[in-house]
Amino acid sequence: MTPASGRNTADAITLHKDFAEETGVGKRIVASTSTCCLDYYEHSHDIRMIRIKLEINGKLYADGTEMPADKFYKMLEDDPTLIPKTSQVPIGELLEFFEGLYAEGYDEVFVTTISAKLSGSYNGIVAAAGMLADKMKIETYDTKTVCFNEGMFALRASEMIEAGASFDEVRAALDHMAENNMIMFAVEHLDFLIKNGRLSNAAGFGANLLQIKPLLEVQSDGEIRSIKNIRKITRALDEVAQRAKEYTAGHKDYFIYYVATTTERLEYLKEATKLALGENDFPFMPCTPIVGCHVGNGAIGIGIFLND
């Protein structure tokens, strides 16, 4: 897409001035990148979505709308040779997105994004914000995480802004959240990790032969790293549950959810979680297709936020 035309921009400015004259202030809103899983979570907040693209057989699809999770993982299941790729949102489309919000009267936007170490979305949004700085305040926050962990940042930001908090207050609250969350996956199939370069072909070949199942964790710097290699997927899931127990030890108030590209091993993880934590009645969130492009259709794990 290309930036909004001059005529549309002029209309937006007129609409915004009318709104400002009536109220004395502009309007604020939260946006997030589509990797946040909020397409699959029912909530009452008005959070706008910047949709990252995925490419399948030469055709681009918008994450979550044109390519929802269930459709995407069914495609991977039906065609094991399929190699989907991710594609950055063009700068023109980002400008059009923010111009659209401006046309609605919003002149302040707080954007939470997928980790900048995992996607170029953060840098693209920062660039678009700079181009529109003369008329809009666009604050971009790198959550340094992904999936519904990312979504929790957007929900908190929206809740605070609706309550009248300043962007500085929101950023401080999110900084605290960033220090008190974790997400980890056990990965059953290594093919996608090899294809996207997160595991070398040589290492991947050996790991496949040995049936190694890497345990992946999003680190505090926003990188996904393998923290342990385990021989069987069930043992890897036992490890996920045990690490969840260790992470929540000493805390009474925490939020846990299951995250996966498939529900095939979900019941086993629930049982492992019950043994480790004494409870397992936690919500489930699918990985978005953008994440699935990197981990394939055999990833399952747990996300956690500490609230106390």
Side-chain angles (χ1 to χ4, degrees):
M1 294 185 180
T2 57
S5 68
R7 181 180 60 82
N8 290 337
T9 301
D11 291 344
I13 293 172
T14 299
L15 187 152
H16 172 72
K17 285 182 176 178
D18 290 344
F19 178 86
E21 288 173 359
E22 291 176 7
T23 64
V25 295
K27 293 198 296 182
R28 301 180 301 162
I29 195 168
V30 170
S32 187
T33 42
S34 58
T35 42
C36 68
C37 291
L38 292 183
D39 287 321
Y40 312 103
Y41 178 76
E42 187 174 344
H43 62 91
S44 60
H45 300 280
D46 185 7
I47 300 173
R48 304 300 176 88
M49 211 59 60
I50 296 170
R51 299 202 175 273
I52 305 174
K53 311 293 184 179
L54 59 155
E55 181 182 337
I56 300 176
N57 295 328
K59 184 176 179 180
L60 289 176
Y61 298 87
D63 181 32
T65 49
E66 297 173 337
M67 185 58 67
D70 55 354
K71 178 180 177 180
F72 177 72
Y73 294 115
K74 181 65 164 59
M75 291 177 70
L76 295 188
E77 182 181 334
D78 291 343
D79 184 2
T81 66
L82 192 64
I83 306 177
K85 301 177 182 178
T86 59
S87 177
Q88 289 303 121
V89 182
I91 190 70
E93 189 169 328
L94 289 171
L95 291 171
E96 186 173 300
F97 173 84
F98 290 117
E99 291 277 14
L101 293 180
Y102 191 81
E104 294 181 49
Y106 297 105
D107 65 353
E108 296 188 14
V109 188
F110 194 98
V111 189
T112 59
T113 77
I114 181 177
S115 170
K117 294 288 184 69
L118 304 178
S119 168
S121 299
Y122 174 85
N123 291 331
I125 294 166
V126 168
M131 295 178 188
L132 297 171
D134 60 332
K135 63 180 179 182
M136 298 182 74
K137 178 181 180 181
I138 302 172
E139 185 104 359
T140 311
Y141 188 90
D142 177 7
T143 68
K144 296 185 179 180
T145 189
V146 71
C147 296
F148 193 52
N149 278 47
E150 177 193 343
M152 291 287 286
F153 283 86
L155 290 170
R156 179 61 174 150
S158 187
E159 178 184 77
M160 291 185 69
I161 286 171
E162 288 168 8
S166 68
F167 279 6
D168 286 343
E169 290 171 325
V170 172
R171 181 172 285 277
L174 299 194
D175 285 346
H176 178 75
M177 290 176 65
E179 296 174 356
N180 292 279
N181 82 98
M182 64 96 75
I183 181 170
M184 69 178 73
F185 303 86
V187 182
E188 186 161 10
H189 310 300
L190 303 182
D191 295 351
F192 280 76
L193 291 172
I194 297 169
K195 289 171 184 174
N196 66 43
R198 296 198 178 275
L199 193 63
S200 72
N201 283 318
F205 178 72
N208 272 326
L209 284 179
L210 296 172
Q211 296 186 325
I212 295 297
K213 312 302 179 187
L215 197 63
L216 305 179
E217 185 175 49
V218 179
Q219 304 293 297
S220 59
D221 64 356
E223 287 271 17
I224 295 180
R225 296 191 181 94
S226 175
I227 55 175
K228 192 171 184 178
N229 289 327
I230 302 172
R231 289 290 294 270
K232 296 180 65 176
I233 187 63
T234 51
R235 290 180 183 173
L237 294 179
D238 290 338
E239 182 76 14
V240 168
Q242 186 59 36
R243 287 177 181 256
K245 177 183 178 180
E246 293 169 2
Y247 191 76
T248 57
H251 297 274
K252 295 182 179 180
D253 185 8
Y254 52 79
F255 172 78
I256 292 179
Y257 71 98
Y258 302 109
V259 58
T261 60
T262 175
T263 59
E264 182 181 354
R265 303 284 184 177
L266 182 57
E267 288 307 313
Y268 186 93
L269 180 56
K270 285 185 175 182
E271 288 305 311
T273 306
K274 181 73 172 179
L275 288 173
L277 290 170
E279 58 179 329
N280 65 358
D281 188 20
F282 306 125
F284 168 77
M285 286 288 162
C287 290
T288 70
I290 293 297
V291 176
C293 285
H294 296 287
V295 298
N297 57 350
I300 182 168
I302 281 177
I304 304 175
F305 274 89
L306 303 178
N307 298 322
D308 55 8

